[in-house]
């Protein structure tokens, strides 16, 4: 994962196998800023329900602070997962 300002660039798969480190990275990123953040999915190949749970947890933290989480550069396969789970109604997915 790389980051610039309020944008965190995620890579590879976000799943049960790397969920602990992914959650820590995203939460640490958010807690250092306590501001709106953008999760860039340009290089994300896959996300499972564990990964979606991580996104929901960080969104909840951000929302409690009056901030938002935006997810950008989502490929069509991952976008479909957001639509099926109706998380496209919860997150701003671009």
């Amino acid at each position: 994962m790389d980051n610039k300002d309020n944008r965190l660039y995620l890579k590879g798969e976000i799943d049960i196998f790397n969920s602990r480190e992914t959650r820590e990275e995203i939460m640490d990123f958010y807690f250092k800023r306590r501001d709106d953040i953008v999760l860039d999915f340009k290089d994300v190949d896959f996300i499972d329900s564990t990964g979606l749970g991580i996104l929901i947890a960080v969104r909840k933290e951000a929302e409690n602070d009056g901030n938002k989480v935006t997810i950008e550069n989502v490929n069509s396969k991952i976008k479909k997962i957001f639509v099926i789970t109706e998380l496209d109604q919860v997150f701003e997915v671009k």
Side-chain angles (χ1 to χ4, degrees):
M1 291 179 211
D2 299 316
N3 68 72
K4 288 185 181 177
D5 300 314
N6 74 331
R7 181 177 296 266
L8 180 64
Y9 294 86
L10 303 166
K11 297 177 184 174
E13 298 181 351
I14 303 173
D15 59 20
I16 194 166
F17 299 108
N18 63 16
S19 62
R20 180 175 295 204
E21 68 185 34
T22 301
R23 180 181 168 84
E24 288 174 5
E25 289 284 337
I26 295 172
M27 290 301 222
D28 286 349
F29 182 79
Y30 175 72
F31 288 137
K32 286 179 184 173
R33 287 154 183 76
R34 294 272 184 191
D35 199 357
D36 295 345
I37 63 169
V38 176
L39 301 177
D40 194 308
F41 270 47
K42 180 182 175 219
D43 294 320
V44 174
D45 304 319
F46 177 79
I47 189 167
D48 69 4
S49 60
T50 308
L52 294 175
I54 293 167
L55 298 179
I56 291 167
V58 73
R59 181 191 175 273
K60 189 174 190 177
E61 286 291 335
E63 188 176 70
N64 287 340
D65 293 337
N67 298 315
K68 70 178 185 173
V69 176
T70 302
I71 302 170
E72 292 187 355
N73 297 317
V74 178
N75 69 38
S76 61
K77 290 180 184 179
I78 293 175
K79 174 83 173 194
K80 187 174 182 178
I81 292 169
F82 278 91
V83 171
I84 289 169
T85 60
E86 296 185 355
L87 288 175
D88 64 325
Q89 304 298 312
V90 176
F91 292 96
E92 183 176 351
V93 180
K94 299 179 180 181

